[in-house]
Amino acid sequence: MKITVLSGGVGGARFTRGLQAALRTRLPDGSGGTTADVTVVANVGDDMWLHGVRVCPDLDTLMYTLGGGVHEEQGWGRRDETRRTSDDLAAYGLGWEWFTLGDLDLATHLARTELLSSGLPLSAVTERLCERWKPGVRLLPATDHEVETHVQTADGLIHFEEWWVRHRAALPALGFVQVGLDDAVPAPGVLAALTDADLVVIPPSNPVVSVGTILTLPGVRDAIRSARGSVVGVSPIVGGAPVRGMADACLTAIGVETSAEAVARHYGRRDSGGLLDAWLVDDADAATAATLRDEGWRTAATDTLMVDVPAATHVAATALDLATRA
Ligand code: FO1
């Protein structure tokens, strides 16, 4: 069974870790693994050059989470991290003092930068880094091109990470711009991973600056709509609020209400020009599931809070059931 997941950082990584656990039970390979092939297409819009190294937050969150090295409480960065280099760089007045690059994390960025400068595309570099982390999925950047999300504010365009981390998304965003999109195409294997998928999953990642960014790449939406199997989404909004992060500020910036129903309609139903065959919401939004179902949507409600791996496994298993019920 081929499954392709579109992911941003923490929410998508935790969901995918649960999906792997669910698949080990449902499609066991007899030696503790699964016969399913999972591909994760990761957002690269948060990426940046900092201190001369290439930082890829969503790729790294996925690689560390699925590879067992993530700082679990933070959801990003490495466990057992230190910040001696970052502190000393601040002494030079360089970098973003509000954006910490941990010492171990820096090794990843140095390795990535060295491999990029040898001429490898980001997809090949990611594959090389994953030889160490063994995430158990094929991890693909959405594109090999540098396409960075910038935020339109009253003070002009700022990098997404400055808006997200320095301003905690509290600076009103007038919109989002994918700088470099005009020259970008999906990375090798991305479109095929979508069209050939027996199941495409849109996990509870940020629908605007994570999933939405991937959808801006040419051909991606059409590839999802022509996927061989079902397309199931999991709402990132529970009871009118994002579970973590500031997806509400992002949704407001594009004129979408912060609700499980509005996000479903934003993605759209596949049989009416959109992307989704099914939509999984939290129990808090059971009324939404009923409303959409009355309109012909395939929906379900369950506890979608991925507080630990067993909880994430439950969410993934429920999404699998919902999709295969199709
Ligand atoms: N998030 C923060 O809130 N503060 C940070 O200092 C920070 C540093 C950082 C460094 C590397 C990296 O890969 C991620 C980092 N993040 C930090 C998280 C980042 O903002 C998020 O992972 C995504 O970009 C948004 O989902």
Side-chain angles (χ1 to χ4, degrees):
M1 182 182 194
K2 292 181 180 176
I3 302 177
T4 300
V5 182
L6 298 173
S7 178
V10 183
R14 286 182 172 164
F15 175 86
T16 304
R17 190 167 58 179
L19 177 65
Q20 288 181 306
L23 290 170
R24 283 195 291 271
T25 304
R26 286 159 179 256
L27 295 171
D29 64 0
S31 55
T34 175
T35 56
D37 285 320
V38 180
T39 298
V40 181
V41 177
N43 171 45
V44 295
D46 300 1
D47 297 4
M48 79 194 76
W49 287 102
L50 192 58
H51 305 305
V53 294
R54 190 68 179 162
V55 179
C56 300
D58 287 345
L59 280 168
D60 291 346
T61 286
L62 284 155
M63 190 168 71
Y64 293 157
T65 301
L66 302 178
V70 76
H71 185 298
E72 194 63 36
E73 295 67 43
Q74 267 181 182
W76 55 269
R78 294 277 292 276
R79 74 152 68 95
D80 306 330
E81 183 60 282
T82 52
R83 43 176 299 165
R84 296 185 68 198
T85 311
S86 188
D87 287 348
D88 211 62
L89 279 164
Y92 286 108
L94 293 175
W96 288 339
E97 72 279 357
W98 37 270
F99 193 85
T100 308
L101 284 187
D103 296 320
L104 296 177
D105 197 32
L106 263 176
T108 299
H109 310 317
L110 286 167
R112 177 185 293 118
T113 304
E114 178 175 334
L115 292 167
L116 285 171
S117 58
S118 76
L120 290 175
L122 182 59
S123 46
V125 171
T126 303
E127 189 176 355
R128 178 76 167 61
L129 299 178
C130 286
E131 284 170 12
R132 169 198 172 169
W133 288 102
K134 300 180 176 38
V137 303
R138 182 173 52 143
L139 182 55
L140 290 179
T143 175
D144 281 336
H145 296 256
E146 292 183 13
V147 183
E148 297 184 3
T149 303
H150 282 58
V151 185
Q152 283 165 323
T153 72
D155 310 335
L157 274 184
I158 58 174
H159 188 280
F160 169 76
E161 288 292 353
E162 179 164 3
W163 181 70
W164 189 260
V165 178
R166 186 182 202 178
H167 299 289
R168 307 310 300 167
L171 201 60
L174 311 175
F176 301 98
V177 177
Q178 308 310 122
V179 176
L181 181 63
D182 295 349
D183 308 322
V185 294
V190 166
L191 296 182
L194 293 166
T195 55
D196 297 352
D198 299 305
L199 175 65
V200 175
V201 186
I202 300 182
S205 284
N206 188 308
V208 182
V209 293
S210 294
V211 176
T213 305
I214 298 171
L215 297 177
T216 62
L217 290 163
V220 169
R221 293 186 77 92
D222 289 342
I224 296 170
R225 288 178 40 73
S226 60
R228 182 169 59 205
S230 297
V231 181
V232 63
V234 182
S235 177
I237 304 299
V238 171
V243 173
R244 60 176 282 131
M246 293 81 76
D248 45 348
C250 304
L251 288 163
T252 302
I254 64 166
V256 176
E257 180 199 310
T258 298
S259 72
E261 180 174 345
V263 174
R265 297 189 193 283
H266 175 63
Y267 283 138
R269 244 173 60 197
R270 192 169 172 191
D271 57 13
S272 55
L275 301 173
L276 298 173
D277 293 310
W279 186 238
L280 177 59
V281 302
D282 189 83
D283 288 325
D285 298 297
T288 290
T291 302
L292 291 173
R293 196 179 308 122
D294 293 347
E295 290 178 21
W297 286 76
R298 192 171 340 110
T299 62
T302 194
D303 177 0
T304 61
L305 298 185
M306 303 185 290
V307 292
D308 54 22
V309 178
T313 306
H314 167 74
V315 178
T318 311
L320 284 171
D321 291 342
L322 182 58
T324 45
R325 213 177 72 199

